Structure formats: C-alpha cells, structure tokens
Amino acid sequence: MRVPRYGGGRLWRRPGPITRGITLVTTAVALVAVVLTGVTAWYLVRTGAEAQQRDQLGRQAEVLSRTPALSELLLDREQRLAGSNGQQVAVVTPGGETVGPASAAVDDRTRTRLLDGRAVSAQASLDGTQVLIEGRPAPGGGGVVLTQPYLVVHDSVARMRGALPLPLAVGLVGGGLAGLLLARRLSRPLTAAATTARRLAEGERGLRAAPGGPRELTDLTSALNVLDEALAHSENRQREFLLSVSHELRTPLTATLGYAEALADGVIGPEDLPMVGETLLSETRRLERFVRDLLDLAHLETDDFRVETRPVDLDALVEKAGTVWAARCARHGVVLRVERPGRPLSVETDGVRVRQIIDGLAENALRVTPAGAPLVLALAPDGDAARIQVRDGGPGLTPEDAAVAFERGTLHARYQGVRPVGTGLGLAIVHRLTQRLGGAVTARGRGPEGGACFTVRLPRRPGPTD
C-alpha cells in the first residue's frame, strides 16, 4: 500500500499533466539557457584569462619602465625577480639597442612603437615558445618589454573552465525548481478551469470558477462563468420552447386521434362525416405548418443554408407580394395598402428569401389585424440600404414584447388564449433569414396605424453573414 506523503502540512499529490507540462517546458528553457551560458562562458574564459594576464604583465612593465637608469645590474636583478614566474625582460635603450633575455621576441615594429612612446601588446615566439608581450615606453626614451609563456593562459583557462560545471548545474537545478513552483502556481487555476469546462460539457450548470493567477487566467475563468450563465439561459429557453412545442403538437394530435378512434369505432354517423373531415383536415394542416416552420428554422441554423444573390428589383417584388396579399386581406375584411417608390429599387440579394420575409411578416400581421383595420406593406430607399416595413392596425406590442419579439415561442406563450397566435416560430424565421441576407429586422410596438411595426433593412450590396 502506498503511504501518503506530506509536505508543508498538506497531503502531497502527484503533479497533474498541466503541472508536469509546464515544469518540463520551464526546465527545458532553463537547460537551454544554461547550455547557452556555458558555451558562451567557455569561449569567453580564454579571452578573460588572456586579458587578465596581459593586465598583470602590463602593470609590471609599467613599473619597470619608470625605474631610473636601467643598468645591466638592475636588469639582471629584475630578470631574476621576473624569472620566478617564467617571465623574461628586455630593454630597448634610447639609442634603439635591445638587451636582455627577451631580446629575441622584440621585433622592429615593437622597437619602433616603444621609441615613439607607445605601449605594445602582442604575441611572439621566444625560444620556440609562444609568449605574451607587454611593452611600456620609458620616460627618458626607449622602454621595457616583459614576456610570459602563453602556457600560463592555458593553465588559467583550464582552472576557470573546471569551475564552470558547478554554477551551471546549480543554475539548472534552480531553474527546474523555479519551473516547478511556477507550474504549480499556474496549474491550479488552469486545472480548476479545465475541471469546470469538463463539468459544463457533461451538463452541469451553476458552476463558478474561482478567479486567480495572471490576468489571462482570470479572463479565462471569467469567460467560463459567462459561458455557464449563457448555457443555463439558453437551455432554459430551449426547455420552455420544447414545452411550448409539445403543447402545440398535443392539441391537434389529441383532436385527430379522438376523431380517428370515433371513425374506427363507427360512432360517427353519415351526417357528421363532413364536419369530422373538415376538423381532421384543419388539424392536419396545423400540424403540417408547425412541422414546416420547425424544419425551416433548423435549416436556417445550419452552415449549408444557401443564399443565391443577384440583382433584385424590390419595387417589382413588393408589387407582386401586394397583389397576393390584397386578396388574402380582402377575405378577412382587412384593407391592404402598398407604399412603394414606383421605380426600380435594385438590391443584390436573394429575392426568394426576401419574399419569404415579407410573407412571414404579413401573415403575422394579418392574424392580429381586425376587420376594417389597415395592413401596410411599405418599401423605400434608406441610404445605402432598402427599407421594407409591415405595419398593422392590430393591438400592437408593449416595449417588453418588442424586445423579445424574435425569440422563439416567447410571444406565442405570452398571448396564447388572449389573441390569435401562430406556431411561435414565424418571427424567429424572419429574424434569421434577414441575418442570412446581411440585413437587420427590428420591431416597434406602435406604428402609424396603431398596431405593431416591423422594419427590415437590406444592404444594396451583400455583406458578410454569420
């Protein structure tokens, strides 16, 4: 049995995938940084070691160059002192003569620079060995040259490079630990957000992701909370809509089933058959219309819904629609009035879909318009768009009604049994169709005729649709 381990007073838990991933990334970054630092330091060590040796050698040469009367006795003493470090001395006299053990390393260029009063820093070969050369001019002319085997630089480089692995290893371990701590800090809100998203996907609602961590993670948790609220609101609306749909289907189905059973049992006499047939036909058409609206709305929500745009004369289209609806309005005692420019009003759109929008709004208006009241179908240019209005002389809408007029089934549920209603989907279909055409539709509770006013704006040129 695995024994729980504790650390810092808390039960130790194995790091999750997010923590492990962030730790691996930060450790890899630390490793790359350490390797790059090591490679850079590896090459810089030689430059630094040589510069350090030259600096020391140059300081000694500077001190010797200021010693008065560089006699052979003094030169011999200085050579003995310098020789303990492998250094050798050469003196360039004011007359240009070079004396001392290191004379072979002093070439004409070095001699000329010293006689000109300029310092020398170079490399040369002395007795078959590479040496560093540092020369300093003397105040009275000439100068002093000190040489040191380049092997000293190699030894210094080896010592410095030998000391590099330890700090690099410490840096790597520190980077890994820092990555682990950072990963734990970042993974907590990420893990919480992932858990919340998974529970949302499984259908849970009312979840609240606690904000924490950097701003991006706080934005993520806030977005999840907004998504939770939006999903809950959407699902509640869908639930209410499905309840409304089930109620609408149940009524005609119950009537149809009752009459069908009566016919099957032979309890309906011949004199009642016309009435029963008419009722069955009416209820069947009601079901057919409801199912058709459901299918239309579902089709509008799909990505493969096609809109075929071409130049359409809306003036001619509204005239034809007015002819059809004038006859239907007359059967209900409603007076249809058509207002249009009387000249071509061309728009790049889908004429079939525009006619579908007009028919949907007109059918909705005719349903609530009493006999003798007007119904108006109006068309007018509106800047870079065309404006289509359907106004009626019915009971109108409240501001609250207008705000939710295009939500599926909302007005239907609100006014069922109060005023004539349809399937509850017509205005939602109009709204989605208008969006697909790149336009916009709005509802106003009171128009000039006293009833509701619906306005559709269609751009002259097609734009992006969602």
Side-chain angles (χ1 to χ4, degrees), residues 179-269:
L180 179 60
L181 295 175
L182 177 63
R184 287 187 177 276
R185 180 175 181 271
L186 292 177
S187 64
R188 289 193 194 101
L190 278 176
T191 303
T195 302
T196 301
R198 184 166 52 251
R199 293 171 65 186
L200 287 174
E202 292 172 354
E204 292 189 54
R205 298 295 179 261
L207 305 176
R208 300 296 296 177
R215 187 184 67 181
E216 290 79 4
L217 292 178
T218 302
D219 293 342
L220 174 61
T221 55
S222 299
L224 285 175
N225 293 333
V226 172
L227 175 62
D228 176 42
E229 296 174 358
L231 287 174
H233 178 68
S234 175
E235 289 174 356
N236 287 334
R237 287 179 54 192
Q238 289 181 4
R239 191 176 300 109
E240 294 171 359
F241 175 67
L242 289 176
L243 289 174
S244 175
V245 168
S246 65
H247 180 271
E248 285 297 311
L249 290 175
R250 188 181 299 114
T251 302
L253 282 175
T254 301
T256 302
L257 181 61
Y259 280 114
E261 290 175 347
L263 286 171
D265 294 339
V267 299
I268 297 178

Side-chain angles (χ1 to χ4, degrees), residues 134-437:
E134 290 294 324
R136 297 294 183 270
V144 175
V145 175
L146 277 180
T147 67
Q148 187 167 31
Y150 204 84
L151 184 61
V152 176
V153 176
H154 288 296
D155 293 340
S156 179
V157 168
R159 288 194 302 273
M160 291 182 181
R161 286 179 174 174
L164 281 177
L166 179 60
L168 293 178
V170 171
L172 180 59
V173 173
L177 292 176
L180 179 60
L181 295 175
L182 177 63
R184 287 187 177 276
R185 180 175 181 271
L186 292 177
S187 64
R188 289 193 194 101
L190 278 176
T191 303
T195 302
T196 301
R198 184 166 52 251
R199 293 171 65 186
L200 287 174
E202 292 172 354
E204 292 189 54
R205 298 295 179 261
L207 305 176
R208 300 296 296 177
R215 187 184 67 181
E216 290 79 4
L217 292 178
T218 302
D219 293 342
L220 174 61
T221 55
S222 299
L224 285 175
N225 293 333
V226 172
L227 175 62
D228 176 42
E229 296 174 358
L231 287 174
H233 178 68
S234 175
E235 289 174 356
N236 287 334
R237 287 179 54 192
Q238 289 181 4
R239 191 176 300 109
E240 294 171 359
F241 175 67
L242 289 176
L243 289 174
S244 175
V245 168
S246 65
H247 180 271
E248 285 297 311
L249 290 175
R250 188 181 299 114
T251 302
L253 282 175
T254 301
T256 302
L257 181 61
Y259 280 114
E261 290 175 347
L263 286 171
D265 294 339
V267 299
I268 297 178
E271 68 280 0
D272 294 326
L273 286 178
M275 181 272 293
V276 172
E278 183 178 348
T279 302
L280 288 174
L281 180 61
S282 173
E283 295 302 320
T284 303
R285 285 175 175 172
R286 181 178 174 187
L287 280 173
E288 189 272 337
R289 184 173 67 253
F290 194 77
V291 172
R292 184 179 66 246
D293 285 351
L294 283 174
L295 292 176
D296 286 344
L297 191 59
H299 185 46
L300 280 167
E301 299 296 335
T302 61
D303 292 332
D304 60 350
F305 181 81
R306 295 185 61 185
V307 174
E308 298 179 358
T309 59
R310 59 173 57 90
V312 176
D313 182 6
L314 291 186
D315 185 75
L317 187 146
V318 168
E319 181 184 15
K320 291 179 181 179
T323 302
V324 173
W325 281 97
R328 292 188 60 178
C329 288
R331 289 197 296 268
H332 292 79
V334 174
V335 179
L336 177 69
R337 189 169 73 247
V338 178
E339 300 174 355
R340 57 189 183 87
R343 62 180 183 278
L345 179 56
S346 181
V347 172
E348 290 280 343
T349 188
D350 188 327
V352 174
R353 302 302 179 184
V354 175
R355 178 60 188 272
Q356 190 175 352
I357 291 171
I358 294 174
D359 289 346
L361 292 175
E363 184 174 357
N364 179 75
L366 181 60
R367 187 182 303 114
V368 296
T369 303
L375 192 155
V376 179
L377 175 58
L379 170 68
D382 188 7
D384 58 351
R387 183 179 69 246
I388 300 173
Q389 280 188 339
V390 175
R391 308 191 299 267
D392 62 69
L397 300 172
T398 66
E400 293 77 14
D401 294 338
V404 296
F406 302 105
E407 294 183 4
R408 292 176 295 182
T410 301
L411 294 183
H412 178 274
R414 186 172 295 180
Y415 288 107
Q416 190 172 22
V418 178
R419 64 174 68 166
V421 293
T423 62
L425 303 176
L427 291 179
I429 293 174
V430 166
H431 179 259
R432 193 63 181 136
L433 272 173
T434 306
Q435 286 185 324
R436 287 288 190 165
L437 295 180

